[in-house]
Amino acid sequence: MIGRRLFLGHSLLFLSGCALTHATGHSPNSPLPRPSKLRFTVTDLSSLDVLQKDFGDFRQALADVLQMPVEFFPVENYSAAAPAFLANELDFALAGPSEYLLLRARADAAPIVGITRPNYVSMIMTRVDGEIDQLSELNNKKIAMRTEGSTSGHIVPMKMLLDAGVAPDAYEVQMLNLEGFEALRSGQVDAWADSYSRYLEYVKEPGLEGTEIRVIATSENLPPDILVANPNLGPEFLAELRKQILQHQGVLMSALLASEANQKYKHSELVSVEDIDYQTLRDSYHAIGQGSTIE
């Protein structure tokens, strides 16, 4: 009976593979020819309307540069981009550093070009009228972070705390996304961890720096956001894709900045990147006990 079940299971897997090959014209792991179009997404935007609003100009500029149609392919979340790559439904994506590690581990996503972000650091902040001046004093405290898996608002702050001798089980994390600042200000939490851009928006520009909120720790620069591709497109096309994007970065960056939502890239550049550039972040996942997330 066991042998029959194993046989039936392998048969179903074989038939599924044949069906995918028939539907796409290729097996999921065989190189594709130069595509007739490029299906593109941004891993943290699930709505086609938002993709069009925030990245419509970039999509058109990319199509002009590559001289091929570029279409949006929304995914429900960054996790859903991996199976879309594996099924050859998605060709190209813009991802954050943490999302890249997941896509690399689960779909062997190919790093194409990085988008630098000056002052892309994690910051941990407390109230000026509080008694917490350093990370080691956050034992048994409540800390607001952004979202599960956020590079600057979760993974790196936890590594900063660990390096300061504060173990992951020694404090309470509240994933509050955009509400972290107000939670700190109101006393709901003892500290708030997020990126410099959020600190700039909520603290520095309103003039609360040093009056209500103080920074007690800042990380080193984080790896850049990254444009990644389906590895089944083949090395020749991937090399061409990288070359064209780098050669036309002026046009592409201008198009990217046409949307107010992308002003975090105002002083950014498109640069060559390799997987090794993200090893420090990968090590951070393992150090805080969340390595299985990116495996």
Side-chain angles (χ1 to χ4, degrees):
M1 178 65 74
I2 293 176
R4 184 173 176 225
R5 287 177 181 170
L6 288 173
F7 172 76
L8 288 173
H10 288 303
S11 297
L12 289 171
L13 287 173
F14 173 75
L15 290 172
S16 297
C18 290
L20 183 57
T21 300
H22 177 73
T24 63
H26 308 85
S27 71
N29 296 316
S30 64
L32 297 172
R34 189 180 196 278
S36 59
K37 62 182 179 182
L38 206 66
R39 294 158 297 182
F40 169 67
T41 199
V42 180
T43 56
D44 62 352
L45 298 180
S46 59
S47 163
L48 180 59
D49 289 341
V50 176
L51 278 170
Q52 182 59 46
K53 178 173 70 74
D54 294 349
F55 287 87
D57 289 337
F58 179 78
R59 180 200 60 78
Q60 185 57 57
L62 187 62
D64 293 342
V65 165
L66 299 177
Q67 297 185 345
M68 69 167 60
V70 176
E71 299 178 356
F72 285 128
F73 185 89
V75 291
E76 185 176 350
N77 51 50
Y78 66 86
S79 296
F85 271 139
L86 290 170
N88 289 328
E89 297 172 339
L90 177 64
D91 304 306
F92 200 44
L94 172 59
S98 287
E99 289 91 338
Y100 163 70
L101 292 182
L102 183 145
L103 292 173
R104 180 71 171 182
R106 300 185 185 179
D108 198 28
I112 301 300
V113 171
I115 307 180
T116 64
R117 289 175 60 180
N119 295 318
Y120 185 29
V121 296
S122 293
M123 307 180 81
I124 299 179
M125 294 147 279
T126 59
R127 293 186 304 278
V128 169
D129 62 3
E131 299 179 351
I132 299 171
D133 298 314
Q134 53 190 359
L135 294 181
S136 60
E137 296 172 345
L138 286 171
N139 270 301
N140 302 314
K141 302 297 184 181
K142 297 177 182 179
I143 305 174
M145 296 190 182
R146 193 185 307 171
T147 54
E148 192 78 27
S150 166
T151 304
S152 59
H154 177 213
I155 302 302
V156 172
M158 287 190 69
K159 181 60 164 57
M160 293 166 66
L161 287 160
L162 183 63
D163 290 345
V166 185
D169 60 355
Y171 53 92
E172 178 186 331
V173 173
Q174 295 186 12
M175 293 297 179
L176 299 179
N177 201 355
L178 300 180
E179 306 302 320
F181 165 68
E182 287 299 337
L184 174 62
R185 201 177 187 190
S186 66
Q188 176 184 333
V189 297
D190 302 290
W192 168 46
D194 215 316
S195 65
Y196 174 78
S197 60
R198 292 282 173 84
Y199 167 76
L200 189 67
E201 177 182 357
Y202 289 104
V203 179
K204 191 166 185 176
E205 289 180 349
L208 302 178
E209 181 181 42
T211 58
E212 290 192 26
I213 306 297
R214 61 181 160 205
V215 178
I216 62 171
T218 301
S219 74
E220 296 181 352
N221 284 339
L222 306 179
D225 289 349
I226 186 170
L227 290 161
V228 299
N230 187 331
N232 289 334
L233 291 171
E236 291 185 3
F237 178 74
L238 295 183
E240 177 188 345
L241 184 61
R242 181 178 296 107
K243 177 182 177 182
Q244 292 299 326
I245 290 174
L246 290 174
Q247 284 186 347
H248 296 88
Q249 71 165 287
V251 170
L252 292 171
M253 287 305 303
S254 293
L256 187 64
L257 293 171
S259 169
E260 186 63 31
N262 297 327
Q263 295 311 300
K264 63 184 179 182
Y265 299 121
K266 187 174 182 180
H267 301 292
S268 298
E269 293 180 316
L270 299 175
V271 296
S272 295
V273 289
E274 299 178 2
D275 181 69
I276 193 65
D277 297 325
Y278 297 82
Q279 188 58 45
T280 300
L281 180 59
R282 187 179 282 115
D283 293 341
S284 295
Y285 266 90
H286 288 281
I288 65 175
Q290 298 202 22
S292 60
T293 305
I294 53 168
E295 295 176 349

